[in-house]
Amino acid sequence: MTCMVQMEEIIELGFNRLVEVINLHDKSVDAYSEEIKNLDAELLCKMAAQVTGVISKTGIELLEKGKKDNQGEIYDPRHYPTKMIILGKSAEPMPYRPDNMSKGVQDQFCLLGEDGKFYEIMYSADELVIDSYLAEITPRQVIDLYGYEAMFMLYKAMQQYMQNQEELLFALEKTLDFIRSS
């Protein structure tokens, strides 16, 4: 009987230690999660620096302003001089543009320019003209306004256009998976 009691005590002690280890591991995961989330804007900035050289070749020129004909086709377009990639679209655009409160916003996007800076563009349109407002935003604002989806889209751009960077891409994939699951 004492052997049985000792075995039950050993099992219980082992079980309690296992619970302690699991709880300790959960706390360290939570601590890392908080640390990663505190550094997410810095990570986004470093990711942007890795891809800027590719944007001049693969990015697009965005419409700054254009006139519309009777069929709604754009003519006499004027584009921004720098190429950019789109990282996200706002589900709920601002009600009006910061530069002109009389202009409503139809579409609002997050961008990364070939200069390595993040931008937000807001498009307005009436019957005759489509024009936009472009403003630089910080990496923190990118995450706050567009969420981790913008970071994920930047990762996808890196994955598509960066060759011979498998280790970096693998590490970023694991980090992004971790951030998105938190």
Side-chain angles (χ1 to χ4, degrees), residues 102-148:
S102 68
K103 293 186 176 187
V105 177
Q106 276 76 35
D107 287 310
Q108 182 176 336
F109 298 94
C110 176
L111 313 165
L112 175 61
E114 63 186 315
D115 58 1
K117 296 177 182 176
F118 292 97
Y119 296 94
E120 186 171 51
I121 191 166
M122 298 175 188
Y123 282 103
S124 302
D126 57 26
E127 292 82 35
L128 302 174
V129 176
I130 295 176
D131 71 335
S132 63
Y133 169 73
L134 183 71
E136 187 177 338
I137 58 175
T138 66
R140 167 60 41 217
Q141 289 172 313
V142 170
I143 292 169
D144 291 346
L145 297 170
Y146 294 91
Y148 289 120

Side-chain angles (χ1 to χ4, degrees), residues 7 18 29 41 48 58 74 97 101-102 128 158 173 177 180 182:
M7 185 60 92
L18 182 60
V29 166
T58 60
I74 298 172
R97 289 187 2 198
M101 292 189 175
S102 68
L128 302 174
M158 292 175 75
E173 179 181 19
D177 286 345
R180 292 173 84 199
S182 298

Side-chain angles (χ1 to χ4, degrees), residues 17-79:
R17 178 65 184 137
L18 182 60
V19 168
E20 285 176 29
V21 168
I22 289 171
N23 287 335
L24 185 64
H25 177 71
D26 285 349
K27 288 176 185 169
S28 69
V29 166
D30 288 344
Y32 284 128
S33 174
E34 191 62 35
E35 184 178 341
I36 287 172
K37 285 189 175 191
N38 288 336
L39 297 173
D40 56 3
E42 187 176 331
L43 174 62
L44 184 65
C45 189
K46 288 182 179 185
M47 290 171 66
Q50 292 290 320
V51 82
T52 53
V54 184
I55 296 174
S56 61
K57 298 174 191 148
T58 60
I60 58 173
E61 292 179 345
L62 292 169
L63 179 70
E64 180 180 356
K65 189 173 187 173
K67 299 175 186 171
K68 293 192 304 185
D69 64 17
N70 293 342
Q71 286 76 35
E73 298 294 319
I74 298 172
Y75 69 95
D76 198 18
R78 188 171 69 216
H79 294 86

Side-chain angles (χ1 to χ4, degrees), residues 89-102:
K89 181 178 180 183
S90 177
E92 295 180 31
M94 298 288 293
Y96 53 85
R97 289 187 2 198
D99 65 325
N100 186 338
M101 292 189 175
S102 68

